[in-house]
Amino acid sequence: MCPQGHGGVRRDYGETANEKVNNLSFSLGFAMVTVVIFIGVFLGIRPALVVGLAIPICYGFTLALDFAFGYTINRVTLFALILSLGLLVDDPITGVDNIERFLRKKGARLADSIVAAIAEIRTPLLMSTVTIVLAFVPLAFITGMMGPYMAPMAFNVPVSVMASPLVAF
């Protein structure tokens, strides 16, 4: 009942929250598909397939840790995943691009070319990952009302970005 004595429901926060989570879930899926298509058009099918596999692996790892540490799928979690999408596809794209560059060199064995290509970019990829993680970890130390609200952002972005070089290597 409404406080004024009228019948009916004035505001259903569960329905509103569900609608917003569904919109963000759709946005996440749309962003993933768009990134894979964009990479396929401009870099080729092989890089698109690698990135298309890297995204669900990184997100699967991140969501498994979310579950293990008691985080729920909510608007902040989904926003963190959308935000990290651009960051986590960078490592596989760089890896595939460098491998293709090494494969164009004549006379080198396939395995040697792949190992050399990844060895060349290992340190820069790790340093970029550390930089991103260091940028988001301070969000975990926010106090007051915003602390619990920002905690999924401080957890999900670093975890998904740390999974990215592992998948790329």
Side-chain angles (χ1 to χ4, degrees), residues 74-140:
N74 56 38
R75 288 183 270 183
V76 179
T77 304
L78 290 170
F79 177 73
L81 294 175
I82 292 169
L83 175 69
S84 66
L85 178 64
L87 302 170
L88 69 87
V89 299
D90 190 39
D91 295 344
I93 291 170
T94 303
V96 168
D97 189 50
N98 209 41
I99 288 169
E100 285 194 13
R101 185 175 65 85
F102 269 73
L103 290 177
R104 284 191 213 115
K105 294 180 182 178
K106 300 295 181 196
R109 286 187 31 227
L110 178 67
D112 292 339
S113 295
I114 292 171
V115 169
I118 294 299
E120 182 178 83
I121 62 170
R122 183 178 299 122
T123 302
L125 289 184
L126 290 175
M127 289 298 100
S128 70
T129 300
V130 168
T131 303
I132 293 167
V133 168
L134 290 176
F136 280 92
V137 165
L139 293 175

Side-chain angles (χ1 to χ4, degrees), residues 32 35-37 39-40 43-59 85 88-100 103 114 118 121 125 163-169:
M32 288 170 35
V35 165
V36 171
I37 290 171
I39 291 168
L43 296 178
I45 297 299
R46 187 181 300 159
L49 291 174
V50 170
V51 171
L53 289 172
I55 294 170
I57 291 170
C58 291
Y59 280 168
L85 178 64
L88 69 87
V89 299
D90 190 39
D91 295 344
I93 291 170
T94 303
V96 168
D97 189 50
N98 209 41
I99 288 169
E100 285 194 13
L103 290 177
I114 292 171
I118 294 299
I121 62 170
L125 289 184
S164 180
L166 298 175
V167 171
F169 294 152

